[in-house]
Amino acid sequence: MELNELKKFEGATHSRKRVGRGPGSGLGKTSGRGENGQKSRSGASISPVFEGGQSPLFRRLHKRGFSNARFKTVYATINVGELNELFNDGDVVTPELLKEKGIIKKQLSGIKVLGNGILNKKLTIRAHRFTQSALEKIEESGSKAEVI
């Protein structure tokens, strides 16, 4: 037996379905799609999740699982430039003072000092976090940065 003598078994291949070619073909008129309805139209594709407008199963069931989002640390932020405008030479800037003056609304998880702006005055700044650029500007001006 040679490779050129190999043949497919009978019934192994099927002729292509030619739909919509008259009633004699058995697949004329509606082309095997049934009568009317959404699925009989061209381009119809319904998501397997779609339940005909009824409230879907994933919305009827309650949420399960756990998320750490409730415990995320969010800092109240203030820029170095704002501190320069609001305080005088030699002042000690604390979270309590910032809240008292109404500069920050909520203390949240703490205060974070950002490095936007210029600092010319000598201040003692007490905060929970400092950005690298903020620390550089504070040291340049001769101020002190204290981490709480």
Side-chain angles (χ1 to χ4, degrees), residues 13-61:
T13 59
H14 301 277
S15 55
R16 190 170 61 90
K17 258 191 200 179
R18 296 184 71 228
V19 295
R21 295 291 183 274
S25 70
L27 288 169
K29 194 186 172 203
T30 53
S31 305
R33 288 173 174 261
E35 291 299 324
N36 297 340
Q38 187 177 11
K39 290 184 187 172
S40 71
R41 310 287 187 240
S42 69
S45 58
I46 309 148
S47 164
V49 180
F50 185 65
E51 297 180 26
Q54 137 179 318
S55 191
L57 181 69
F58 71 89
R59 279 178 53 202
R60 279 178 282 168
L61 298 175

Side-chain angles (χ1 to χ4, degrees), residues 65-83:
F66 179 77
S67 170
N68 270 327
R70 288 171 47 204
F71 309 105
K72 185 168 76 169
T73 52
V74 181
Y75 292 98
T77 58
I78 187 159
N79 282 305
V80 169
E82 292 174 60
L83 295 173

Side-chain angles (χ1 to χ4, degrees), residues 87 94-105 107:
F87 293 95
T94 60
E96 294 79 25
L97 188 65
L98 291 170
K99 195 166 185 202
E100 191 181 295
K101 283 193 169 189
I103 299 160
I104 55 166
K105 302 283 185 276
Q107 200 168 319

